[in-house]
Amino acid sequence: MERLYGFSLVAGVAAIIAGCANVNGITVKGADDDLDDHIRISSELYDEPYMGFPAPTDYFFQSTVDKQSGLKLYELHLAVNKDNWKRWDQVTFNYEGETAELPLVWRRSDMTCTDYGCTYSELGVAGIDEAMVKYIAAQPEPVTMTIGSARVDDSLDFTVQPAEARLMLEETQQRSL
């Protein structure tokens, strides 16, 4: 009996893990809620950082679709860990041969200190046009973006995956029809 129970437990855990592995990482909220005026689509779970901590940065796309008008808004969310406050206020990247600048607003910050030093974490958001998300989705290689500011010399590069942008756009398009 114990052996049968152990086998059932292992089979159940394997089924759960297999089910989670097939999820594309795009989440949808509000689509079936008649009281919610918007549908929120997010790629936050697309490629989660190891152990949940960005090192030094993690990003995800989010879109909002107004159920009445069909208006779509896109955002690029950032989680950054660094060795001190950087005062960065923009994200830049090469967009069709030009430098695109996206204003960056930090929504939350935290400082964690131990005997070995401090870590500074910030969560921010930058609005991004649908055309820019489509441009990223159409690229054959990851797109390099830079978090920085004209006020400081330091900056941080990170890469955005075209496949993530494509899945995000596909789900947003399906929800806005």
Side-chain angles (χ1 to χ4, degrees), residues 57-100:
T57 188
D58 187 33
Y59 74 92
F60 66 90
F61 292 103
Q62 181 172 304
S63 63
T64 304
V65 180
D66 185 292
K67 289 181 180 179
Q68 297 275 324
S69 67
L71 178 67
K72 298 173 279 190
L73 299 174
Y74 292 87
E75 297 174 332
L76 178 67
H77 289 251
L78 297 163
V80 179
N81 284 326
K82 39 197 180 330
D83 57 355
N84 59 32
W85 301 119
K86 298 295 185 177
R87 309 293 183 232
W88 293 325
D89 60 7
Q90 67 183 6
V91 176
T92 59
F93 69 102
N94 182 357
Y95 172 61
E96 297 182 345
E98 302 283 327
T99 299

Side-chain angles (χ1 to χ4, degrees), residues 104-175:
L104 178 59
V105 176
W106 296 107
R107 292 193 169 166
R108 195 167 60 195
S109 60
D110 191 21
M111 178 176 68
T112 305
C113 296
T114 66
D115 292 341
Y116 302 104
C118 296
T119 300
Y120 301 82
S121 304
E122 292 184 293
L123 300 174
V125 64
I128 186 168
D129 294 336
E130 183 176 34
M132 291 177 177
V133 179
K134 286 180 178 179
Y135 173 82
I136 293 166
Q139 299 309 301
E141 299 291 325
V143 174
T144 299
M145 294 187 164
T146 303
I147 306 170
S149 174
R151 299 180 296 172
V152 294
D153 294 331
D154 198 10
S155 63
L156 177 64
D157 291 340
F158 65 100
T159 57
V160 177
Q161 300 299 321
E164 182 173 351
R166 275 192 299 278
L167 286 171
M168 182 70 193
L169 283 168
E170 288 170 10
E171 191 65 42
T172 302
Q173 294 303 327
Q174 289 178 11
R175 302 297 175 160

